């Protein structure tokens, strides 16, 4: 892929340009589920899947800073579940993050940054 075709920049940190481009790229890579955090577990949008930290791996994540406001931070997690689902989860990053979700993520043992 050329830089024009791909939201990824080929540098040592492999940054995505925007959150929406990163989500679109993740979907094209098969991360199609839209996970939500509710009542201490991750759920699928249809609420049929419920996952604890032991049920998921996070093969990659990306942090974003707002263009007009440096305090407008978000993080995109790419998630794989023990039953084969792949999807994304978005949270604020920093002062505005969901404290319960942050605590949940910290207990995930299999988390990587590619």
């Amino acid at each position: 892929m050329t830089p024009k075709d791909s939201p990824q920049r080929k540098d040592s940190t492999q940054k995505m340009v925007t959150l929406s481009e990163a989500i679109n790229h993740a979907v094209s890579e098969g991360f199609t589920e839209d996970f939500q955090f509710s009542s201490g577990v991750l759920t699928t949008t249809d609420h049929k899947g419920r996952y604890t930290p032991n049920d998921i791996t996070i093969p990659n994540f990306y942090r974003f800073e707002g263009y007009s406001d440096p305090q407008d931070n978000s993080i995109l997690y790419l998630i794989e579940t023990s039953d084969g689902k792949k999807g994304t989860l978005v949270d604020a990053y920093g002062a505005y993050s969901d404290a319960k979700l942050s605590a949940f993520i910290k207990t995930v043992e299999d988390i990587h940054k590619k």
Side-chain angles (χ1 to χ4, degrees):
M1 273 188 225
T2 66
K4 181 180 177 189
D5 298 328
S6 173
Q8 297 178 347
R9 295 182 195 151
K10 299 298 180 188
D11 65 12
S12 63
T13 58
Q14 193 178 27
K15 297 176 186 173
M16 296 289 174
V17 177
T18 67
L19 177 60
S20 62
E21 287 176 331
I23 291 171
N24 289 340
H25 181 73
V27 169
S28 75
E29 295 290 317
F31 291 86
T32 56
E33 198 68 52
D34 183 21
F35 291 105
Q36 300 170 358
F37 183 71
S38 177
S39 303
V41 296
L42 285 186
T43 62
T44 55
T45 52
D46 61 8
H47 298 284
K48 290 183 180 178
R50 296 174 55 85
Y51 305 97
T52 68
N54 293 331
D55 298 324
I56 68 168
T57 61
I58 300 176
N60 214 345
F61 58 92
Y62 303 93
R63 292 186 185 115
F64 299 90
E65 186 176 287
Y67 288 114
S68 60
D69 182 359
Q71 293 182 8
D72 181 17
N73 297 318
S74 59
I75 188 164
L76 170 67
Y77 297 102
L78 302 185
I79 296 173
E80 296 178 354
T81 65
S82 56
D83 62 355
K85 289 186 174 38
K86 291 172 60 174
T88 59
L89 176 68
V90 177
D91 189 20
Y93 185 76
Y96 299 108
S97 66
D98 179 328
K100 291 179 181 178
L101 174 55
S102 294
F104 176 92
I105 294 294
K106 285 179 184 176
T107 62
V108 174
E109 291 186 25
D110 196 358
I111 185 168
H112 305 277
K113 177 66 183 154
K114 291 183 182 176

